[in-house]
C-alpha cells in the first residue's frame, strides 16, 4: 500500500482530492459540519477496529509479508511497463489534451484536403 501511495500518479491524485476536499469544506459551512461528523465517525470506527483486528494481523503476519513482497514485485514490473505511474495527474491531463488536439487537427487537415 505504501509503495502504491508513493507513486507520483497516486500521490498527486491524492493531493488534488485533498485540496478539493479542504476547499469545499472551507467554502461551504453546512458541508463542513457533515464532513467533520463523518471524519469523527471514521476515526472512532478505525480505532475500534484496529484493537479488534490486531490479534488477527499478528497471526497472519507471515502471510501478509509474503503477499506484500509478491505485490511489490508486481508493482515494480507494472511501473516499468507503464511509465504513466511516474507522472503527476496534471501532466497526464496536459499530455492527453495535447494528443487529442493533435489528432483533431490531423483529422481537420485530412478532411479539408
Amino acid at each position: 500500500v505504501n509503495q502504491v501511495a508513493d507513486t507520483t500518479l497516486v500521490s498527486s491524485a491524492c493531493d488534488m482530492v485533498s485540496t478539493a476536499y479542504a476547499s469545499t469544506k472551507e467554502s461551504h459551512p453546512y458541508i463542513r459540519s457533515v464532513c467533520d461528523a463523518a471524519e469523527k465517525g471514521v476515526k472512532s470506527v478505525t480505532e475500534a477496529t484496529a484493537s479488534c483486528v490486531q490479534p488477527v494481523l499478528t497471526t497472519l503476519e507471515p502471510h501478509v509479508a509474503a503477499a506484500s513482497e509478491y505485490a511489490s514485485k508486481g508493482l515494480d514490473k507494472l511501473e516499468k511497463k507503464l511509465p504513466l505511474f511516474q507522472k503527476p495527474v496534471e501532466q497526464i491531463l496536459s499530455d492527453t489534451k495535447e494528443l487529442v488536439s493533435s489528432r483533431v487537427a490531423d483529422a481537420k487537415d485530412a478532411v479539408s484536403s
Side-chain angles (χ1 to χ4, degrees):
V1 172
N2 287 336
Q3 189 175 358
V4 170
D6 287 341
T7 62
T8 305
L9 175 64
V10 173
S11 176
S12 69
C14 288
D15 289 345
M16 286 178 70
V17 170
S18 178
T19 300
Y21 178 76
S23 174
T24 301
K25 277 180 64 174
E26 187 66 31
S27 301
H28 305 283
Y30 295 117
I31 292 176
R32 177 181 26 231
S33 61
V34 171
C35 290
D36 288 344
E39 289 170 14
K40 287 178 185 174
V42 168
K43 184 178 179 183
S44 298
V45 169
T46 302
E47 289 170 353
T49 304
S51 62
C52 296
V53 172
Q54 190 58 46
V56 175
L57 289 178
T58 302
T59 305
L60 295 175
E61 189 172 352
H63 304 291
V64 171
S68 179
E69 184 178 335
Y70 183 74
S72 178
K73 289 178 183 177
L75 184 59
D76 287 342
K77 288 180 183 178
L78 190 61
E79 286 177 332
K80 288 178 185 173
K81 290 184 179 186
L82 295 173
L84 183 75
F85 283 103
Q86 300 308 321
K87 294 182 179 182
V89 172
E90 296 87 356
Q91 184 177 357
I92 294 169
L93 292 173
S94 173
D95 291 351
T96 303
K97 286 177 186 176
E98 286 178 27
L99 179 63
V100 170
S101 294
S102 172
R103 298 293 186 225
V104 168
D106 291 346
K108 283 182 180 179
D109 291 344
V111 170
S112 65
S113 65

